[in-house]
Amino acid sequence: MTDVQEAYRLLVADVYELAGTSRRTSEAIAATAGQTTARWHVLSVLSGAPSTVATVARRLGLTRQSVQRVADGLLADGLADRAANPDHRTAPLLALTDAGRQALAALVERGDADRARVLDAAGTSAEELLACRAVLRRLLAALDTP
């Protein structure tokens, strides 16, 4: 067993812990705005451009069916709307409505405030975060290489 293998295992354990804690924190933030993190994620993807449910699912690494359930809720609540898809007659595009953009803006504002608090409490700099991210991206690339 080498030191680098042990360090890798500890890093992965910490990444899982960070991801879990971050998800719980995000869920609490979303709840204060009457949303869920699933809805927040779909709203975020749709903020880039109108997309099909399948495209949103691929971007989020989820099943089309799970994203469809979230999309149906966003449509019912007036946060998203369907638009014709010139590339596929039976797969409409989903687009944010004004209410959807407002809901996303409120979530982002609350999320940014919480992250600022956490980053300040941790005393973490942008340079440290970017260096950490660079290592994680290299590890991810290596894992994706057969």
Side-chain angles (χ1 to χ4, degrees):
M1 194 69 47
T2 65
D3 289 338
V4 71
Q5 290 169 329
E6 179 65 15
Y8 175 78
R9 273 197 298 282
L10 292 170
L11 175 66
V12 170
D14 289 345
V15 167
Y16 281 130
E17 183 179 358
L18 176 63
T21 302
S22 180
R23 270 192 298 277
R24 287 188 297 279
T25 302
S26 293
E27 195 64 54
I29 291 167
T32 67
Q35 302 296 331
T36 64
T37 55
R39 289 167 65 104
W40 188 349
H41 295 159
V42 173
L43 289 168
S44 292
V45 171
L46 294 177
S47 71
S51 301
T52 64
V53 166
T55 299
V56 173
R58 276 192 301 279
R59 290 249 346 250
L60 295 175
L62 300 170
T63 65
R64 189 196 58 73
Q65 293 83 357
S66 67
V67 172
Q68 185 66 61
R69 282 190 293 276
V70 173
D72 289 344
L74 294 174
L75 289 163
D77 292 345
L79 300 179
D81 212 352
R82 286 187 178 95
N85 182 350
D87 296 327
H88 198 285
R89 190 170 48 93
T90 61
L93 295 171
L94 296 176
L96 292 183
T97 62
D98 287 339
R101 281 187 284 282
Q102 290 172 3
L104 179 59
L107 288 164
V108 169
E109 182 179 330
R110 292 170 191 205
D112 286 351
D114 186 68
R115 281 177 202 56
R117 178 193 60 76
V118 168
L119 293 170
D120 185 54
T124 305
S125 70
E127 293 78 19
E128 288 174 308
L129 292 171
L130 292 172
C132 183
R133 182 174 187 258
V135 170
L136 291 173
R137 298 304 308 166
R138 286 197 318 268
L139 289 169
L140 287 166
L143 287 167
D144 282 341
T145 303

